[in-house]
Amino acid sequence: MAKESIFSLSSFISPLTSIRANKLASVMLLNWLLLLSFFHLARAASFIYVGCSPSKYDANSPFQANLNSLLNSIVSGAAQSSYNSFKSGDNAGSSASSASGLYQCRNDLSADDCSACVQSAVGQLNLVCADSYAASLQLDGCFVRYSNEDFLGKPDTTMVYRKCSASSSNDGEFFRRRDDVLADLQNGVSYRVSSSGTVQGYVQCLGDINAADCSACLQQAVGQLKNACGSALAADVYLAQCYARYWASGHYFRSSADYSEDDIGKTVAIIVGILAGLALIVVFLSFLRRTC
């Protein structure tokens, strides 16, 4: 009789343990998908640069009210499209209290990631550029700018940010591939991606300028990449209304607050491994407890 009791108990525990394991496996898969989504968003929200005007507006002033309305429109708009511009205030764009602004996401971002990136950018602007009459902030996946002056649609090729990788190459094949990519990107309009061998790159213009101004901006940005960064294996150049980037395979750099693709893969693998180990421990302890 004792043996029959033990056998019956084992028969009961086995399917119960299987059910628990299946539930834990489902939870692990959900966590893994959430982690991938988190790291993808983290890349998009990686900080590039910020600029704040030294002039400040008074608290509770008409400009502050118009600016708040403008930023709310920017956040709401990002949930609908990857680019938009707004004006807020009486005779918007000409009144001293009016505010003008825009946002733009990188074209390859999903609607959800674009919206999240713009929300993050607006939140950071409110902290870093508090009470500034004008400000702009560039994240890896989106850009937000506002001002008390109407800047929309006015060509501007001012150099804003440039970064050249410390690693470089004197290989002729690299130069040939890089120049092929940059030549192709230079002919882009709005957003363009290009690759040649192990070299890749992309460019993008702000949506408030026309095709001719975009082309002129991109030509200048690409020229800066070649002239300023020389033999660098990766480089970024941001002008006021466009940017250009290229990198050789394995040398795509981001800001220190972000992760490389390899780092993300390793981090996800480590966390998934930990979750799997914890799941096995829970199942084993549950089995022991019920057996005892």
Side-chain angles (χ1 to χ4, degrees):
M1 288 296 293
K3 288 185 178 180
E4 289 183 3
S5 298
I6 293 174
F7 178 79
S8 299
L9 181 62
S10 298
S11 300
F12 173 74
I13 291 174
S14 180
L16 181 64
T17 303
S18 177
I19 292 171
R20 283 180 171 271
N22 289 336
K23 288 183 177 180
L24 286 168
S26 299
V27 171
M28 287 167 54
L29 177 60
L30 178 60
N31 287 337
W32 184 72
L33 292 174
L34 289 174
L35 284 168
L36 287 179
S37 175
F38 168 78
F39 285 120
H40 181 69
L41 177 58
R43 291 199 302 271
S46 174
F47 177 83
I48 303 295
Y49 70 80
V50 66
C52 315
S53 71
S55 55
K56 305 290 184 179
Y57 59 82
D58 294 330
N60 301 318
S61 64
F63 177 78
Q64 184 181 35
N66 290 329
L67 177 59
N68 289 339
S69 176
L70 176 79
L71 294 178
N72 287 334
S73 296
I74 285 176
V75 171
S76 299
Q80 307 298 324
S81 62
S82 62
Y83 165 80
N84 212 335
S85 62
F86 302 92
K87 295 180 181 180
S88 178
D90 296 334
N91 299 318
S94 59
S95 171
S97 63
S98 65
S100 300
L102 59 78
Y103 72 88
Q104 179 160 296
C105 292
R106 205 175 62 226
N107 274 27
D108 62 337
L109 285 192
S110 68
D112 288 342
D113 285 346
C114 174
S115 178
C117 186
V118 170
Q119 287 186 53
S120 176
V122 170
Q124 292 182 55
L125 273 179
N126 286 331
L127 291 175
V128 180
C129 298
D131 304 334
S132 289
Y133 266 115
S136 60
L137 187 140
Q138 178 75 59
L139 302 182
D140 192 71
C142 63
F143 174 73
V144 174
R145 179 183 178 186
Y146 74 81
S147 178
N148 60 327
E149 298 179 358
D150 184 8
F151 62 89
L152 299 173
K154 298 178 181 178
D156 186 356
T157 56
T158 304
M159 167 70 71
V160 180
Y161 174 87
R162 179 178 65 217
K163 183 175 182 179
C164 312
S165 69
S167 53
S168 61
S169 173
N170 293 317
D171 179 50
E173 178 68 8
F174 162 72
F175 285 117
R176 185 176 72 81
R177 297 290 188 179
R178 184 203 64 178
D179 290 348
D180 287 345
V181 168
L182 293 182
D184 185 39
L185 293 177
Q186 190 170 282
N187 296 321
V189 176
S190 183
Y191 178 77
R192 191 179 186 93
V193 178
S194 183
S195 64
S196 177
T198 61
V199 180
Q200 303 174 65
Y202 60 82
V203 295
Q204 186 169 19
C205 289
L206 286 179
D208 66 323
I209 58 175
N210 59 41
D213 291 335
C214 174
S215 179
C217 188
L218 291 180
Q219 288 183 26
Q220 186 164 332
V222 168
Q224 288 277 356
L225 283 178
K226 294 180 67 174
N227 297 330
C229 293
S231 59
L233 286 168
D236 290 353
V237 166
Y238 287 82
L239 305 185
Q241 290 182 311
C242 70
Y243 65 85
R245 167 181 285 179
Y246 78 82
W247 67 95
S249 180
H251 294 275
Y252 184 71
F253 55 73
R254 298 180 184 272
S255 70
S256 59
D258 200 11
Y259 299 88
S260 69
E261 295 288 347
D262 290 341
D263 289 338
I264 293 170
K266 291 176 182 177
T267 303
V268 171
I270 291 171
I271 295 176
V272 170
I274 292 172
L275 290 173
L278 290 174
L280 290 174
I281 291 172
V282 170
V283 171
F284 180 69
L285 290 177
S286 176
F287 176 80
L288 287 179
R289 185 182 64 181
R290 293 183 176 276
T291 302
C292 293

